Amino acid sequence: MAQPRGHKLETYKQSRSRREARMDGGGSHKSGSPIYKRSPDMTKSPMTKSEQLLRIDDHDFTMRPAFGGPPIPVGVDVQVESLDTISEVDMDFTMTLYLRHYWKDERLAFPSTTNQSMTFDSRLVKKIWVPDMFFVHSKRSFIHDTTTDNVMLRVYPDGNVLYSLRVTVTAMCNMDLSRFPLDTQTCSLEIESYAYTDDDLMLYWKKGNESLNTDDRISLSQFLIQKFHTTTKLAFYSSTGWYNRLYIHFTLRRHIFFFLLQTYFPATLMVMLSWVSFWIDRRAVPARVPLGITTVLTMSTIITGVNASMPRVSYIKAVDIYLWVSFVFVFLSVIEYAAVNYLSTVQERKERKLRERLPCTCGISNPDEMMIDPQITGYGSMDVNTTGNYGMPENGGRQERMLAQVALNDPQITRQVKPSRGYVNIWIDTHAIDKYSRVVFPGAYILFNIIYWSIYS
């Protein structure tokens, strides 16, 4: 028996209701599935109220403000927080500073009844236009990010913008070390726009020289900071054009006291120590030779230590002049003793040969009262006395030498000996070399110091 049409419709509605109830009950684990419920688009973050107020989405911030018009002026000021290191070996310096930019972007203007600015962190910086500054000749640089990115953006109701960041930069510094360590160095930190030429961006110091501020507590161990100042120039690149470039110059004078203690005083003491050998008997070879060698090796160590901490420059530095002249003085003191020792040996050999050739002088009466003729040998009574007891043993040395001179003065003996200049002028006062060295070496070194310090001080 056929059922009425209305009864079939009612049965269909009831079965559909039961299926939906089962889906809400036993099949509730599928409710979160994208098949049954559409999830929101997570790639599109909602705009904050401040961004809505600034109308971020209404403008194209990939273009500079007033694109197509005159160049946008960007003022800059810098506060130097610290000057960390100056490296002569790497020819660079490291500086931490606050870099602030000032410009006007009318696209960021917003209505305000109190005329108060709004301050943002680095999250908004990525969504608007900011100047693309970079440090010319920099080796390393980074923006501090502890405990968060050290970036601040402040927007005023009329569209003026302040963009500040804290940066540490290591930049190149060309140093002239010809007067090291009595030198004065001038280093520069250069700031420039990377993409925008002077037709698009006009970079300038906001307050002239007053745009650069420094912390009064800045100090360096080896340098005295004399002054900071700023300049502005144009830089030209053949492929891209002219760019505005800002310079931060600072002048450093090196402290000399450290090098006086570590280099100059030890070198001077080694030179003075080498002079001690002039007062030691020339026959004391074990005393004079080690003293000379020790001073030479010590000077070599000082020179090596100084050059190890310096760049390998192709010119002579002031400290090199002082150390090498000191080394020459020490070396000459060793050569002086070598000359004295050699001449003493030659003198003794000549006297020995003369004694072998001379006949017996036992018959000469009162040889001590006889004087050698100065016109023949160049030595008189004073020469004989001054030569003292050097070159021969203490007992008999002076007497044998006196007898040789007396024998040469005797006509009968002189006729028996073949005239020879080598036998006539046989005595060289080697002791006088030490006596003259005691005066010449200190005097020359003092004169060198006077000239050196008058030039480099």
Side-chain angles (χ1 to χ4, degrees):
M1 180 174 166
Q3 295 180 354
R5 185 176 178 180
H7 178 73
K8 290 182 179 180
L9 182 60
E10 185 68 25
T11 304
Y12 171 75
K13 290 181 178 180
Q14 290 176 0
S15 61
R16 182 178 178 182
S17 299
R18 285 194 297 268
R19 284 197 305 268
E20 290 178 355
R22 283 196 302 267
M23 290 176 61
D24 293 339
S28 60
H29 63 282
K30 297 182 180 179
S31 62
S33 173
I35 299 176
Y36 299 98
K37 186 177 180 180
R38 186 175 180 181
S39 60
D41 187 3
M42 302 303 295
T43 61
K44 203 170 190 180
S45 58
M47 294 182 61
T48 61
K49 292 183 179 181
S50 58
E51 293 177 358
Q52 294 174 1
L53 182 63
L54 296 175
R55 305 188 306 277
I56 298 297
D57 283 348
D58 295 346
H59 304 282
D60 182 10
F61 283 98
T62 60
M63 310 298 291
R64 70 172 179 88
F67 177 76
I72 173 175
V74 176
V76 175
D77 69 39
V78 170
Q79 180 171 349
V80 179
E81 182 182 13
S82 65
L83 192 56
D84 302 323
T85 57
I86 308 289
S87 175
E88 294 87 1
V89 177
D90 298 326
M91 292 283 187
D92 60 24
F93 65 92
T94 301
M95 177 186 292
T96 300
L97 51 91
Y98 296 95
L99 181 62
R100 304 186 182 99
H101 312 74
Y102 302 85
W103 74 94
K104 187 173 183 178
D105 191 345
E106 295 181 352
R107 296 172 296 182
L108 297 176
F110 61 92
S112 175
T113 56
T114 59
N115 200 27
Q116 291 184 349
S117 62
M118 292 190 297
T119 303
F120 306 93
D121 57 15
S122 60
R123 289 172 291 184
L124 185 63
V125 173
K126 301 175 182 178
K127 299 180 180 181
I128 66 170
W129 181 90
V130 293
D132 57 340
M133 299 295 104
F134 80 105
F135 298 101
V136 185
H137 305 309
S138 66
K139 297 181 178 180
R140 295 173 300 276
S141 61
F142 62 91
I143 300 175
H144 290 259
D145 55 2
T146 305
T147 58
T148 183
D149 291 341
N150 295 176
V151 175
M152 184 267 289
L153 185 72
R154 183 170 295 168
V155 182
Y156 293 87
D158 57 356
N160 283 313
V161 182
L162 165 61
Y163 174 47
S164 175
L165 60 159
R166 182 168 173 254
V167 185
T168 293
V169 56
T170 300
M172 182 178 64
C173 178
N174 293 321
M175 301 183 186
D176 180 13
L177 300 175
S178 58
R179 298 177 64 90
F180 176 89
L182 305 166
D183 56 334
T184 299
Q185 302 294 339
T186 299
C187 298
S188 301
L189 182 64
E190 306 170 18
I191 307 172
E192 183 181 308
S193 171
Y194 189 83
Y196 296 100
T197 64
D198 61 341
D199 294 329
D200 290 321
L201 189 146
M202 185 180 67
L203 202 62
Y204 68 98
W205 290 110
K206 185 172 178 60
K207 299 179 182 178
N209 279 331
E210 296 182 359
S211 301
L212 180 62
N213 299 311
T214 59
D215 194 329
D216 296 335
R217 296 172 296 178
I218 295 178
S219 63
L220 294 170
S221 58
Q222 289 192 29
F223 292 93
L224 172 65
I225 303 176
Q226 290 188 326
K227 65 176 180 178
F228 282 88
H229 67 282
T230 61
T231 56
T232 304
K233 295 181 181 179
L234 284 175
F236 176 73
Y237 298 90
S238 58
S239 56
T240 53
W242 293 89
Y243 294 81
N244 293 112
R245 182 177 296 181
L246 305 181
Y247 293 82
I248 301 174
H249 304 285
F250 54 96
T251 305
L252 306 171
R253 183 173 180 82
R254 196 182 306 273
H255 293 302
I256 185 60
F257 188 70
F258 170 81
F259 296 94
L260 289 177
L261 292 179
Q262 299 296 323
T263 304
Y264 286 94
F265 284 166
T268 303
L269 290 177
M270 287 301 104
V271 175
M272 296 173 65
L273 183 61
S274 68
W275 300 338
V276 175
S277 63
F278 302 150
W279 276 266
I280 300 177
D281 195 318
R282 67 176 179 272
R283 290 169 296 185
V285 177
R288 294 188 66 163
V289 172
L291 179 61
I293 294 176
T294 301
T295 53
V296 168
L297 293 179
T298 305
M299 283 301 306
S300 301
T301 303
I302 294 175
I303 294 173
T304 304
V306 171
N307 291 329
S309 59
M310 296 296 300
R312 298 178 181 178
V313 294
S314 58
Y315 49 84
I316 299 177
K317 303 181 291 293
V319 67
D320 294 334
I321 296 176
Y322 193 91
L323 291 179
W324 280 105
V325 170
S326 300
F327 182 85
V328 169
F329 271 90
V330 171
F331 182 76
L332 288 178
S333 67
V334 179
I335 299 300
E336 185 270 347
Y337 176 64
V340 168
N341 187 272
Y342 173 76
L343 293 176
S344 298
T345 304
V346 172
Q347 183 65 43
E348 292 175 4
R349 188 181 302 116
K350 286 183 178 181
E351 291 181 356
R352 192 180 305 111
K353 289 182 180 180
L354 181 60
R355 287 197 305 271
E356 294 174 355
R357 297 184 61 133
L358 286 176
C360 179
T361 56
C362 302
I364 300 178
S365 59
N366 298 326
D368 291 337
E369 297 178 0
M370 301 179 63
M371 313 304 291
I372 192 169
D373 188 359
Q375 296 179 357
I376 300 176
T377 64
Y379 291 92
S381 60
M382 183 61 65
D383 299 305
V384 176
N385 294 329
T386 8
T387 53
N389 301 324
Y390 295 92
M392 295 293 294
E394 293 293 336
N395 297 328
R398 184 173 180 273
Q399 183 178 359
E400 292 183 9
R401 186 165 56 251
M402 191 67 172
L403 291 175
Q405 293 176 341
V406 170
L408 286 173
N409 199 39
D410 189 275
Q412 298 178 357
I413 300 175
T414 307
R415 283 194 299 269
Q416 300 177 17
V417 181
K418 182 184 292 186
S420 174
R421 185 175 181 179
Y423 290 121
V424 174
N425 195 7
I426 62 172
W427 180 245
I428 300 175
D429 190 2
T430 54
H431 178 58
I433 299 178
D434 279 342
K435 290 193 299 184
Y436 293 145
S437 298
R438 296 171 191 172
V439 177
V440 173
F441 274 71
Y445 195 68
I446 291 173
L447 178 62
F448 161 71
N449 274 272
I450 293 174
I451 296 175
Y452 179 88
W453 293 108
S454 61
I455 291 176
Y456 289 103
S457 295

